[in-house]
Amino acid sequence: MIKMLSIAAAALASVAVASPSFAQSFSPSSGSVSGSGSVTLSQTISVTCNVSITASPLSATSAPIPTRSISPGGIACLAVAPSGAWSAAVVPGSTTSIALTIGANTVANDPCYGTVVVAWNNATSTATFNNNVLPPVNAGGRNCTIVSGSIRIPGLQIL
């Protein structure tokens, strides 16, 4: 009987110790954060655009991004605009990646939208894109690829 209780207690203790490692969260976990950067988007042509965002209100694991803008980093970017509801979320079990739900209406007027998991660097509070593919919004549409770039969000970390 004592041996059975010992095994049960050990199993319960191992679950209690293992659980926190999967509980990633944003820090801060309330309020808002803003950031900006530059990305290269490719669909029918490649364009470099400046992106600015404000995520608010932050929760422990997600944040809507109601304020976002895309402005020219290159002349062709004049025709690119944000599309769909943007948001950010932690990736369970990871402090080195972040899930972003984003979209753009492109130069070809062929919007794309979806969730991509991108590299996250806590030391610099930066999301880095590397050939991340967004699916088309319309049937028969073309994918968009965020070829490269980064967005720095000062003060945001994943714990």
Side-chain angles (χ1 to χ4, degrees):
M1 178 75 162
I2 291 175
K3 187 174 184 177
M4 184 77 98
L5 288 174
S6 299
I7 293 171
L12 190 56
S14 70
V15 169
V17 170
S19 295
S21 67
F22 296 104
Q24 274 48 64
S25 63
F26 284 129
S27 176
S29 60
S30 63
S32 66
V33 291
S34 296
S36 62
S38 178
V39 298
T40 299
L41 177 69
S42 180
Q43 191 184 54
T44 55
I45 64 171
S46 289
V47 296
T48 300
C49 302
N50 296 321
V51 178
S52 295
I53 60 135
T54 297
S56 177
L58 286 171
S59 76
T61 59
S62 65
I65 302 173
T67 306
R68 70 258 198 260
S69 67
I70 298 174
S71 60
I75 190 77
C77 193
L78 285 169
V80 178
S83 180
W86 288 20
S87 64
V90 298
V91 175
S94 177
T95 58
T96 59
S97 57
I98 188 170
L100 298 173
T101 300
I102 53 178
N105 193 13
T106 66
V107 173
N109 196 27
D110 194 358
C112 47
Y113 178 80
T115 300
V116 293
V117 175
V118 301
W120 177 259
N121 182 320
N122 266 338
T124 61
S125 299
T126 303
T128 302
F129 298 89
N130 183 14
N131 293 313
N132 302 98
V133 177
L134 294 170
V137 170
N138 302 314
R142 293 168 284 221
N143 289 337
C144 296
T145 301
I146 305 173
V147 178
S148 62
S150 62
I151 299 175
R152 185 169 181 268
I153 309 167
L156 185 65
Q157 290 192 319
I158 300 173
L159 306 176

